[in-house]
Amino acid sequence: MPNQLSETPDRLADQESTQSATGTEKKSVFIKTYGCQMNVYDSDRMADVLAPAGYAETLDPATADLVILNTCHIREKAAEKVYSELGRLRALKEERERHGGSMTIGVAGCVAQAEGEEMVRRAPIVDLVVGPQSYHRLPDLLKRTGNGSRGIVETDFPVEDKFDALPALDKKKTIARGRTAFLTVQEGCDKFCAFCVVPYTRGAEFSRPVANVIQEAKDLVAGGVREITLLGQNVNAYHGEGSGGKDWSLGRLIYALAEIDGIDRLRYTTSHPRDMDDELIRAHREVDVLMPYLHLPVQSGSNNILTAMNRQHDAASYLRLIERIREARPDIALSSDFIVGFPGETDQDFEDTLSLVGEVGYAQAYSFKYSPRPGTPAAGETVQVEEAVKAERLARLQDKLNIDQAAFNKSCEGRTMSVLLDRRGKKDGQLVGRSPYLQSVHVDAPDAAFGHFAEVTIDKGFANSLSATLISTHRDQGANQT
Ligand code: SAH
Ligand code: SF4
Ligand code: F3S
């Protein structure tokens, strides 16, 4: 789940809010999001920060006054995409300037953080570079570009400031964004896996205080949201300040959120095996609204490689953990991330990964060829695996994972499930929603069911989705969708 790349602006702010409350001049912003769900959340929050400064969201970069690329640095390909996009934007910007107009180009997110000044040198059309912890400063930074400054770089790490400075959620915008929402509760990472840029691009681990999280969850519910996914680069390392000044774990936070009237589904991602504590596992047994799905990346099944990766767990402890989670919630669907071709990975190490996959039986998974990232310890290793070997291992691993995924989907056939129908299908009369286990489910249903939960019977499990027959819909008392 953390790697479902989101490269299209899949949400648009309420179009009526083109006139700012302060009467500022109307302008438009186009935000393109790359990378993980945390960036999707951040893009929405950037739009929220920009609205009072007079910016309404648009889907058309060609007419936008401001274009922001919210970028990802996790693999080389992800980072390079940004430069291709900047090439395309350069043509648009020049065209606008030829006609006497202007376009401000900003780069946000993890490439912005990692490259900073370098970005402006490599792509001089960039007016503004803003890191993931500084985007609450966008209105001020834009005032500076408006006054003729170019190449402004803002990559500090004032993480507490950001959440304090972000505006409360706007009810109309929340309604426009639909029934499912992300809520960032934790940011940053102190784990320093040898391959990973996140500790450098997002900074040290930080948890938002419990009261802030609960308030934002209540605001989401007031805006019609019924399913919340709690986000963090290391979400189960959550340790936010709770009542009496004591830190709460993610498990405790989930018990509290489940009490909020109107939250029908809770999920969280991404977790680290080291931080799956007893309370969180117990929540999977006891909290009805906590969905039976867990993304728990293992990366490799070889102890040699796990040690070299600095993952701080071995294959056996991961398998024991899975056993305990399954005892608590026998039907839980499991997911993972894998890296093949980490420096020094031998054929035997790779076989160990295949054998772990065989033991777990994942419902879905994401797998990648190792990509050396500047500044990370593994990038400097002398024994890099050849590209052709990486490609062959990835193909074998993905074949196995696909077979397991198809088997999981098939095992859903004949079952009755609840689905939150929050997307329209490609075919007329078809609505789409997620099963409790996170698969997309396609159902023929009246449009009145859009945005509501439905009971369905799964007819068919395909490679990547399920199809189902509608039994009944539950119209709830949520916010008015019109
Ligand atoms: N916080 C999450 C991971 C975020 S990155 C966690 O701890 O699991 C998402 C995934 O990208 C990682 O799980 C890993 O599988 C993959 N990844 C990270 N760095 C990578 C690299 N240098 N090359 C290839 N894949 C990488
Ligand atoms: Fe990256 Fe490891 Fe932190 Fe996940 S736990 S964000 S893979 S350093
Ligand atoms: Fe990418 Fe940054 Fe997320 S590197 S995966 S956008 S934390």
Side-chain angles (χ1 to χ4, degrees):
M1 182 152 162
N3 307 300
Q4 290 164 337
L5 290 187
S6 148
E7 288 173 9
T8 46
D10 49 359
R11 76 276 166 276
L12 252 196
D14 173 12
Q15 289 299 308
E16 283 169 47
S17 58
T18 47
Q19 185 64 54
S20 82
T22 51
T24 327
E25 187 195 343
K26 280 196 215 171
K27 289 185 188 147
S28 60
V29 54
F30 171 80
I31 306 178
K32 181 159 180 167
T33 311
Y34 302 81
C36 63
Q37 289 102 326
M38 310 235 7
N39 266 9
V40 176
Y41 176 88
D42 288 344
S43 290
D44 279 346
R45 301 321 312 272
M46 280 189 237
D48 295 346
V49 168
L50 288 166
Y55 287 91
E57 271 194 276
T58 171
L59 277 179
D60 182 11
T63 59
D65 300 295
L66 169 64
V67 173
I68 297 180
L69 304 182
N70 193 11
T71 62
C72 174
H73 200 242
I74 203 80
R75 284 168 290 275
E76 193 180 355
K77 264 195 193 142
E80 282 308 317
K81 276 183 193 162
V82 178
Y83 286 99
S84 334
E85 187 63 31
L86 285 171
R88 283 190 287 273
L89 286 173
R90 186 174 156 191
L92 279 182
K93 183 172 166 140
E94 287 172 353
E95 177 71 12
R96 287 279 283 286
E97 285 169 355
R98 262 198 298 281
H99 293 92
S102 68
M103 176 190 272
T104 304
I105 297 182
V107 179
C110 291
V111 179
Q113 187 65 44
E115 298 197 359
E117 306 273 349
E118 179 57 30
M119 180 128 236
V120 182
R121 266 196 292 279
R122 202 171 148 189
I125 60 148
V126 173
D127 298 294
L128 179 63
V129 176
V130 59
Q133 308 306 350
S134 321
Y135 63 75
H136 55 290
R137 297 181 178 166
L138 272 170
D140 285 342
L141 298 170
L142 285 166
K143 271 191 204 136
R144 284 166 57 193
T145 60
N147 291 335
S149 301
R150 287 279 163 274
I152 297 171
V153 177
E154 179 71 62
T155 48
D156 284 355
F157 276 119
V159 72
E160 288 94 337
D161 291 356
K162 179 179 79 180
F163 286 109
D164 286 347
L166 291 173
L169 294 181
D170 175 276
K171 188 168 174 182
K172 275 172 117 182
K173 277 206 176 102
T174 304
I175 291 170
R177 286 170 184 164
R179 303 292 242 176
T180 59
F182 294 132
L183 199 179
T184 295
V185 301
Q186 180 277 338
E187 264 204 274
C189 181
D190 294 341
K191 297 276 190 306
F192 291 93
C193 298
F195 50 80
C196 183
V197 291
V198 170
Y200 312 97
T201 61
R202 294 276 171 166
E205 226 170 62
F206 166 77
S207 297
R208 294 177 69 186
V210 171
N212 290 13
V213 173
I214 302 239
Q215 187 55 52
E216 193 165 319
K218 286 183 175 165
D219 290 346
L220 287 171
V221 169
V225 168
R226 292 292 169 264
E227 173 173 324
I228 296 179
T229 303
L230 307 176
L231 297 183
Q233 268 91 23
N234 237 207
V235 72
N236 59 344
Y238 178 84
H239 56 97
E241 186 184 331
S243 45
K246 282 224 174 90
D247 280 1
W248 283 27
S249 67
L250 183 69
R252 186 153 180 209
L253 181 70
I254 285 173
Y255 276 93
L257 288 168
E259 296 294 313
I260 297 175
D261 208 21
I263 295 187
D264 295 320
R265 286 177 160 192
L266 280 173
R267 304 181 187 275
Y268 61 95
T269 200
T270 292
S271 297
H272 191 286
R274 281 281 299 234
D275 296 316
M276 282 307 295
D277 65 11
D278 291 347
E279 197 167 26
L280 187 52
I281 295 175
R282 189 156 52 83
H284 277 285
R285 186 195 303 275
E286 294 176 353
V287 177
D288 289 353
V289 296
L290 184 58
M291 291 294 99
Y293 172 89
L294 176 62
H295 182 70
L296 194 61
V298 67
Q299 314 295 357
S300 167
S302 151
N303 287 341
N304 295 336
I305 296 298
L306 288 169
T307 305
M309 285 177 164
N310 189 30
R311 284 291 291 181
Q312 304 169 41
H313 62 81
D314 59 20
S317 63
Y318 180 86
L319 290 170
R320 267 198 309 279
L321 181 58
I322 296 289
E323 221 171 89
R324 285 173 55 218
I325 295 163
R326 280 192 165 137
E327 263 166 36
R329 183 75 206 221
D331 66 335
I332 199 156
L334 293 163
S335 158
S336 178
D337 293 338
F338 294 91
I339 294 177
V340 298
F342 185 81
E345 186 187 69
T346 62
D347 286 342
Q348 184 54 51
D349 292 323
F350 178 64
E351 292 301 327
D352 290 349
T353 296
L354 292 179
S355 114
L356 180 137
V357 168
E359 283 195 52
V360 175
Y362 290 100
Q364 59 171 310
Y366 305 88
S367 42
F368 314 96
K369 286 190 273 186
Y370 168 69
S371 168
R373 306 308 292 128
T376 58
E381 291 291 335
T382 43
V383 198
Q384 297 287 340
V385 174
E386 273 175 46
E387 199 51 36
V389 175
K390 283 186 197 172
E392 194 230 305
R393 287 181 187 163
L394 186 67
R396 277 182 68 198
L397 175 62
Q398 289 186 339
D399 279 350
K400 192 163 173 61
L401 291 168
N402 288 342
I403 290 170
D404 289 352
Q405 179 170 321
F408 180 87
N409 291 353
K410 194 115 192 90
S411 75
C412 295
E413 289 178 2
R415 291 184 59 186
T416 298
M417 291 182 192
S418 167
V419 177
L420 177 52
L421 297 170
D422 62 347
R423 282 176 287 151
R424 291 195 166 78
K426 287 199 181 111
K427 291 189 202 142
D428 266 1
Q430 192 181 60
L431 296 179
V432 187
R434 297 273 182 185
S435 78
Y437 308 101
L438 209 63
Q439 293 71 34
S440 288
V441 184
H442 298 257
V443 195
D444 286 337
D447 209 58
F450 183 75
H452 297 280
F453 281 99
E455 289 296 304
V456 303
T457 305
I458 306 299
D459 301 320
K460 202 126 188 68
F462 301 103
N464 294 308
S465 64
L466 308 173
S467 71
T469 302
L470 184 69
I471 304 173
S472 60
T473 53
H474 307 283
R475 304 295 304 271
D476 66 35
Q477 302 302 310
N480 189 350
Q481 291 282 293
T482 54

